[in-house]
Amino acid sequence: VTIHEEIKTRTGNYQVWIEKYKESLTNLAKAGLRVITYNFMPVNDWTRTNLDYEMSDGSKALYFNWVDLAVFDIYILQRKNAAAAYPQTVVAEAETRHASYSQEKLDQIAGVVMFGIPGEKKITVEGMREKLSLYDDITQDKLRSNLVYFLQQITPLCDELGLDLAIHPDDPPCDILGLPRIVKNIEDLEFIINSVPNKSNGICFCTGSLGANPNNDLPEMVKKLGTRIHFTHLRNVKKDPQGNFFEDDHLGGDNDMYAVVKELLKIQQEVPNQISFRPDHGHQMIDDLKKVTNPGYSCIGRLRGLAEIRGLQLGILRNME
């Protein structure tokens, strides 16, 4: 359930939006839902630079490239002092690429970066500038404070309703477009849990989002978070030395999915409720290549990921027995 920007900035009618959020939570509980996922990413939610990255088998994946993001940030968005946010090598390459890209290519990059959540109204470059300006005076500490306030308002109700909250990590897990990110590593996640210790306050452990940060040790993070993991998104990424990444096969990529799933299954033995998981994202492949699908959510690729993860779970459980 998405969070209104005025809640994130704690401005305008934020208290009204919080009350409406509580009403939604109550209705969801009545409908039988138990786990509520949300994120606190400012303005842009998840961000990629290519939605059709071609894999060696001909399938298509989502891709994030720092140089193309810099092209958007410096030359299309024209954010003030944007170049200072990138290494000089990235700025230089962005200048070269911008000069070589056609207007069609530049429009394509802008559309991908600003894609947002499917079904929501598309944002324009000018609209993006306006939304970014709302965060001019919001530091990482301020955004953290706003998140804690929001959780303090809703967790008592969630405790009463028997709901489990699961905050989704930032995607990618780093500051972008001048915006602070506060859900990107174990320190952030432990801060969120410790600041609002209500039993309903928990984590959506997304291996793809967290795994895009090379400093994140995913199996160790699972161990530390333990039963506060209320939901899991299982997918994999492949990173290069510059920090660019594409979404790889679920059992491929840089992240040790075996070790992550093994630790999650250990936690499952300690809690009464099933820890839900999903094969988060999948490659566009076979017949789905001919269809219009939401990025990451074509059917066949996700079913392949589901089959792989279920097989991995079965093997680990049999070995645990």
Side-chain angles (χ1 to χ4, degrees):
V1 182
T2 54
I3 310 293
H4 197 282
E5 287 297 314
E6 289 184 355
I7 294 177
K8 297 175 189 176
T9 58
R10 206 169 164 186
T11 58
N13 295 318
Y14 71 93
Q15 201 64 55
V16 172
W17 298 120
I18 290 176
E19 292 306 313
K20 290 181 180 294
Y21 203 92
K22 290 180 181 178
E23 184 178 353
S24 292
L25 292 172
T26 301
N27 291 336
L28 291 168
K30 288 178 180 177
L33 276 76
R34 184 178 60 82
V35 180
I36 309 299
T37 309
Y38 68 101
N39 75 67
F40 222 72
M41 287 181 260
V43 178
N44 208 37
D45 206 272
W46 64 283
T47 302
R48 296 291 184 273
T49 56
N50 185 348
L51 305 180
D52 299 302
Y53 181 81
E54 189 164 337
M55 302 290 289
S56 60
D57 62 1
S59 64
K60 294 182 178 179
L62 307 186
Y63 178 61
F64 177 88
N65 182 274
W66 280 107
V67 175
D68 280 342
L69 183 69
V71 169
F72 169 79
D73 198 3
I74 299 169
Y75 296 100
I76 301 174
L77 185 63
Q78 298 178 1
R79 184 171 61 87
K80 185 178 180 181
N81 299 323
Y86 303 91
Q88 189 54 45
T89 53
V90 170
V91 174
E93 179 62 23
E95 182 179 11
T96 301
R97 285 193 194 179
H98 177 255
S100 68
Y101 282 166
S102 65
Q103 187 59 50
E104 181 182 5
K105 176 66 173 178
L106 293 173
D107 291 343
Q108 180 186 49
I109 290 174
V112 172
V113 172
M114 299 188 296
F115 192 90
I117 298 175
E120 291 189 347
K121 182 180 179 181
K122 293 300 179 184
I123 189 173
T124 63
V125 171
E126 184 56 39
M128 173 70 84
R129 292 191 189 112
E130 292 177 5
K131 286 194 171 187
L132 289 173
S133 70
L134 299 175
Y135 287 84
D136 284 347
D137 299 320
I138 295 182
T139 62
Q140 185 179 78
D141 286 343
K142 178 62 175 175
L143 189 61
R144 272 185 164 187
S145 175
N146 294 347
L147 170 59
V148 169
Y149 178 81
F150 170 67
L151 288 172
Q152 288 171 338
Q153 302 306 301
I154 67 168
T155 49
L157 175 63
C158 291
D159 291 345
E160 178 184 335
L161 295 173
L163 293 175
D164 287 334
L165 293 168
I167 188 168
H168 191 286
D170 301 325
D171 188 8
C174 49
D175 295 351
I176 60 169
L177 304 179
L179 296 167
R181 299 284 210 168
I182 60 170
V183 196
K184 58 188 181 302
N185 52 41
I186 188 60
E187 291 77 18
D188 290 341
L189 296 174
E190 289 182 329
F191 173 85
I192 292 166
I193 295 301
N194 294 333
S195 296
V196 186
N198 298 61
K199 64 180 181 179
S200 58
N201 184 25
I203 305 300
C204 172
F205 196 84
C206 178
T207 57
S209 298
L210 294 169
N213 182 340
N215 297 318
N216 285 338
D217 185 331
L218 300 191
E220 285 300 313
M221 292 175 73
V222 173
K223 290 179 184 179
K224 290 181 178 180
L225 295 169
T227 58
R228 288 299 188 133
I229 296 175
H230 292 163
F231 190 23
T232 58
H233 290 181
L234 301 177
R235 60 180 171 86
N236 224 321
V237 296
K238 182 72 172 179
K239 304 178 287 292
D240 68 19
Q242 288 71 46
N244 310 309
F245 63 89
F246 64 87
E247 299 186 1
D248 205 348
D249 296 336
H250 287 75
L251 302 187
D254 299 326
N255 302 307
D256 189 344
M257 193 65 74
Y258 170 86
V260 170
V261 172
K262 184 176 181 179
E263 294 304 324
L264 288 168
L265 288 171
K266 289 179 183 177
I267 297 169
Q268 180 65 86
Q269 315 310 310
E270 304 175 24
V271 295
N273 294 318
Q274 182 185 49
I275 302 174
S276 299
F277 85 92
R278 72 179 192 182
D280 191 40
H281 297 188
H283 292 162
Q284 192 174 9
M285 57 192 301
I286 315 177
D287 284 355
D288 283 342
L289 288 168
K290 306 171 187 176
K291 301 174 184 175
V292 177
T293 61
N294 288 328
Y297 289 94
S298 54
C299 181
I300 300 172
R302 294 190 74 207
L303 285 176
R304 181 180 71 171
L306 176 63
E308 291 177 349
I309 293 169
R310 289 184 67 189
L312 177 62
Q313 287 181 339
L314 177 61
I316 293 172
L317 284 170
R318 287 286 179 89
N319 189 57
M320 288 170 67
E321 291 172 359

